[in-house]
């Protein structure tokens, strides 16, 4: 029997599906936003605009930490706790390593197996082979789509190995850093800046023989934070210990996030931060488009031609730059 080709749903169908919480409509809408076809771009913008009034009501949480720190196990325990409380949880993962390694650290299908079976959870790994910039603006779109589909807690997971943490920090309300006890900052690749970005730090695997070490690590982190400049939000970074496998400390993490939310809500920081993030989003897209244009064949050819002329002292760099800008502005 011939298989019927899946027809592409219309914008109206996607909108209706998303608003009714249909996960497959949500998945297809995210796929649409990831498409590089310009007709799809037009469609996804129109869909997002329609859905915009239904977005923004979730708490957006970034979660980072080195591979093996226990991110997915934590998200399983944390997500299940939240759905037990009647919440709907969206999990978006960004894996900057997947492009290089072909296999991705976060992409493993067995991750978060229990959580993925929960009807109130939507898990979406990032498209693998995209440039970081590309991944991020799609993640922002995915956040909005999840919110429109009724997800009230959005977790954005990323591996703490690259610049992705900074990018994720720029799209969430609360940023959670997971660390291992006794592994040493260097080993965990924790650059000073990451700790400064965190609103909460969780020492994972605080169970069995590890309990004492975890407490020690918590003390060390608190001490390190003591010397840190206060954050813009006026919030003091909290440090906790958890055991995801023993389900300990998990609801305490949520409590901290709720405290943060009410603190930042009252002070107006939450809203102001989101406004700034909107601006940042635009800046990123403009920059990305600019880089794409620079890679354009005609421009690249012009550039290499001018480089050659400059190298051979045929033209001054200043003059070449003038010619270059004249050329590309005409080209645009
Ligand atoms: P990720 O790479 O950061 O997502 O880390 P995983 O969640 O895959 O965990 C890495 C390893 O640590 C796995 O073998 C987990 O079973 C183990 N692990 C995760 N959380 C805990 C925990 O709370 N306690 C203990 N003892 N092991 C844990």
């Amino acid at each position: 029997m011939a298989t019927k080709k899946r027809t592409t749903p219309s914008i109206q169908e996607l909108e209706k599906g998303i608003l009714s919480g249909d996960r497959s409509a949500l998945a297809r809408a995210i796929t649409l936003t990831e498409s590089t076809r310009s007709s799809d771009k037009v469609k996804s913008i129109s869909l997002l605009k329609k859905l915009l009034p239904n977005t923004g009501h979730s708490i957006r949480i970034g979660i980072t930490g080195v591979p093996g720190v226990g991110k997915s196990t934590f998200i399983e325990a944390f997500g299940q706790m939240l759905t037990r409380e009647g919440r709907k949880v969206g999990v978006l993962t960004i894996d900057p390593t997947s492009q290089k390694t072909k296999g991705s650290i976060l992409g493993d299908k067995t991750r978060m197996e229990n959580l993925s079976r929960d009807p109130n959870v939507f898990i979406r790994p990032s498209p693998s082979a995209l440039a970081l910039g590309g991944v991020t603006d799609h993640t922002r779109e995915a956040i909005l789509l999840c919110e429109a589909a009724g997800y009230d807690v959005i977790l954005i997971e990323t591996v703490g190995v690259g610049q992705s943490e900074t990018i994720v920090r720029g799209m969430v309300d609360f940023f959670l850093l997971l660390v291992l006890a006794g592994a040493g900052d260097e080993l965990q690749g924790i650059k000073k800046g990451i700790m400064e970005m965190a609103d909460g730090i969780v020492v994972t695997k605080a169970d069995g023989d590890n309990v004492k070490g975890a407490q020690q690590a918590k003390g060390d982190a608190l001490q390190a934070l003591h010397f840190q400049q206060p954050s813009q939000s006026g919030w003091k970074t909290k440090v906790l210990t958890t055991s995801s496998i023993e389900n300990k400390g998990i609801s305490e993490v949520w409590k901290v996030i709720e405290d943060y939310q009410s603190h930042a809500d009252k002070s107006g920081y939450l809203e102001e931060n989101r406004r700034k993030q909107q601006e940042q989003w635009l800046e990123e897209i403009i920059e990305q488009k600019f880089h794409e244009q620079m890679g354009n064949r005609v421009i690249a050819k012009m550039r290499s031609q001018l480089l050659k002329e400059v190298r051979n002292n045929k033209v001054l760099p200043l003059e070449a730059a003038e010619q270059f800008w004249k050329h590309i502005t005409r080209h645009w």
Side-chain angles (χ1 to χ4, degrees):
M1 200 173 72
T3 49
K4 211 175 141 199
K5 203 170 163 245
R6 278 219 298 184
T7 51
T8 319
S10 68
I11 295 300
Q12 286 73 18
E13 282 167 328
L14 284 177
E15 182 193 3
K16 217 170 133 218
I18 289 170
L19 291 176
S20 68
D22 173 6
R23 287 197 291 185
S24 74
L26 174 58
R28 296 185 87 174
I30 295 177
T31 305
L32 183 71
T33 65
E34 288 162 0
S35 166
T36 48
R37 279 168 57 177
S38 52
S39 60
D40 286 342
K41 281 246 172 298
V42 173
K43 277 191 198 161
S44 75
I45 289 172
S46 135
L47 177 64
L48 282 162
K49 274 176 84 167
K50 281 177 193 288
L51 294 171
L52 213 55
N54 301 288
T55 64
H57 52 72
S58 80
I59 174 95
R60 304 164 181 171
I61 305 166
I63 298 180
T64 194
V66 291
V69 70
K71 291 181 295 301
S72 64
T73 318
F74 172 80
I75 292 172
E76 278 234 281
F78 191 62
Q80 283 173 322
M81 180 220 59
L82 290 169
T83 57
R84 271 197 303 274
E85 285 193 1
R87 293 193 166 76
K88 283 182 74 176
V89 182
V91 183
L92 306 170
T93 60
I94 297 180
D95 186 352
T97 56
S98 59
Q99 195 178 5
K100 279 186 214 144
T101 56
K102 294 266 160 69
S104 91
I105 293 177
L106 294 178
D108 183 354
K109 283 207 180 64
T110 59
R111 299 177 89 242
M112 302 182 236
E113 215 174 332
N114 291 325
L115 201 61
S116 62
R117 280 197 289 266
D118 191 323
N120 287 317
V121 173
F122 176 82
I123 301 181
R124 175 81 175 202
S126 67
S128 53
L130 285 178
L132 203 52
V135 172
T136 60
D137 57 73
H138 298 313
T139 305
R140 284 183 156 110
E141 289 157 357
I143 293 173
L144 296 176
L145 292 169
C146 284
E147 288 177 345
Y151 291 86
D152 39 31
V153 181
I154 317 282
L155 307 177
I156 298 131
E157 180 197 11
T158 185
V159 191
V161 289
Q163 56 167 152
S164 64
E165 309 79 66
T166 318
I167 294 168
V168 170
R169 184 69 197 95
M171 57 175 88
V172 296
D173 305 311
F174 188 94
F175 195 64
L176 193 65
L177 170 67
L178 268 48
V179 297
L180 285 166
D185 290 357
E186 249 164 71
L187 194 69
Q188 299 193 54
I190 297 167
K191 288 163 264 137
K192 208 170 141 258
I194 299 185
M195 217 162 137
E196 278 166 14
M197 284 193 284
D199 301 299
I201 297 174
V202 163
V203 184
T204 56
K205 309 188 194 182
D207 44 54
D209 296 343
N210 237 341
V211 175
K212 237 177 121 187
Q215 284 303 334
Q216 171 78 39
K218 178 180 167 178
D220 292 347
L222 281 169
Q223 201 164 5
L225 288 170
H226 191 69
F227 298 103
Q228 205 167 283
Q229 295 278 329
S231 72
Q232 275 184 341
S233 61
W235 169 261
K236 264 182 99 94
T237 308
K238 302 289 179 297
V239 186
L240 299 123
T241 60
T242 57
S243 167
S244 304
I245 55 166
E246 291 183 357
N247 225 342
K248 282 189 187 143
I250 306 296
S251 51
E252 283 79 355
V253 176
W254 179 238
K255 173 83 180 53
V256 163
I257 296 171
E258 282 188 314
D259 283 352
Y260 174 85
Q261 197 178 12
S262 87
H263 162 91
D265 206 14
K266 252 185 246 150
S267 68
Y269 181 80
L270 204 67
E271 204 195 319
E272 180 52 27
N273 191 39
R274 283 197 178 180
R275 284 180 197 276
K276 276 198 199 132
Q277 290 179 346
Q278 285 286 100
E279 289 178 358
Q280 181 65 26
W281 188 6
L282 172 63
E283 297 275 19
E284 276 170 27
I285 298 169
I286 290 176
E287 199 157 312
Q288 194 185 322
K289 291 262 176 256
F290 182 76
H291 281 288
E292 274 169 28
Q293 288 291 337
M294 285 310 212
N296 167 305
R297 229 163 17 108
V298 182
I299 292 177
K301 206 170 141 204
M302 165 93 185
R303 209 168 156 175
S304 74
Q305 176 64 30
L306 287 171
L307 280 170
K308 213 155 103 195
E309 289 177 18
V310 165
R311 187 185 164 85
N312 295 330
N313 279 324
K314 290 216 171 110
V315 278
L316 282 168
L318 207 63
E319 193 188 356
E322 280 298 318
Q323 280 183 29
F324 178 74
W325 281 110
K326 234 182 229 159
H327 180 86
I328 61 169
T329 43
R330 209 180 318 130
H331 181 79
W332 281 344

